[in-house]
Amino acid sequence: MSSSPSQPKITSNNRLLSCNTLPVIRIRLTIYNFLFHVPLIVNFTLTPLYYFGLFPSELDAFGMCLYAMLTFMSCISLLLYLEQCVYIHKKLPYPKKTTIMWVNGAAPVIATMACFGMWIPRAVMFTDMTSNCYFAVVVYKVLVLLIEELGGSSVFLKRFSGKTFKITTGPCCCCCLCLPRVPMTRRLLFLLKLGALQYAILKTVLSVLSIILWTNGYFDLSDLDITGTAIWINPFIGILTITSLWPVAIVFMNTNSFLRMINIVPKYAMYQLILVLSQLQTSIINILALDGTIACAPPFSSQARGSMLSQQMMIMEMFIITLVTRFFYRRSYDTLACEAHDSNHQKDGVSLQAAHMEHNV
């Protein structure tokens, strides 16, 4: 008696893109081994290719317009960033120009990765990790930018050596008003740089480790059990993030009054806005999706819909931030007043020293 074909079964790897079922093709081959005269049974599974990404033919008119508009926004963000890099490369010396390029690239890179994640939902974990690793470097580069705008590490130490810095700032010690002010030294500056740099290094290492564990089936963002790896790695990354934001906030709170002529406050506000949108907003949407607050719509599960919603919102937000950031960084890079004063002072010292040597001769 012929048996009816088996119904498709859902696997753990396909939970992202379906509510209940996925069309999975299961094939069983029987190969006869002529050497040992025994049959070999081979079972394997095929998943349709279109579940690895979205084809335009699967979208309706509204979906086509929405996806086309968001893709256009991400492309414009990337093109504006490349044009800004060419402008900065011509106007600024090294190493300030590389630092500004890194900071300027936060919004376009996140928008580009979100566009890839929107079109290829199964790659969302990889695109999010790429964006987060890039932003981890940006956190350190913002600290370097504050120091470079004041003339570099040497000029920074000469200007603030012996002066006390207020450390009761967010996100760590904003409520600890009893903490004393700390004098700026070379050792303190090194610790501030190290505190921001550790996030860039450890975030990349933990992202690579998460991908390795994911390939072996040991890393799942939806697994919130105490025995899961995600419940241990993600809170540790959160601690690293807070620890790296504190040194940047300390330097900004104590030096922003000297950099107001170059719009350092709105630049820092854009950096903070990217942080909130790329980290906090994404986390809130993921929590709502895991809780089931965001309803599923076949063939997409609630997690897939939450992820797609996050990517689409991210593209629009990063596009606007790219335009605003370009306006603030598109300026004539003249010497700051403090740097001009120091350079004039050095020139006067050199001229006096030369006159003194001529008088002695």
Side-chain angles (χ1 to χ4, degrees), residues 37-80:
H37 302 284
V38 292
L40 300 177
I41 299 176
V42 181
N43 296 315
F44 58 94
T45 304
L46 295 178
T47 304
L49 181 62
Y50 57 84
Y51 278 95
F52 291 89
L54 290 177
F55 286 172
S57 59
E58 302 170 18
L59 301 173
D60 54 5
F62 175 76
M64 282 290 298
C65 294
L66 177 62
Y67 274 58
M69 181 184 66
L70 295 176
T71 304
F72 177 75
M73 284 183 177
S74 62
C75 293
I76 292 298
S77 300
L78 187 59
L79 291 177
L80 289 177

Side-chain angles (χ1 to χ4, degrees), residues 232-254:
W232 294 98
I233 292 179
N234 290 336
F236 183 64
I237 291 178
I239 295 174
L240 295 179
T241 305
I242 295 175
T243 307
S244 66
L245 296 177
W246 190 31
V248 182
I250 290 175
V251 175
F252 172 77
M253 292 299 295
N254 290 275

Side-chain angles (χ1 to χ4, degrees), residues 89 138 193 267 311 358:
H89 181 75
V138 170
K193 289 183 177 181
K267 290 177 182 178
Q311 307 302 317
E358 184 179 357

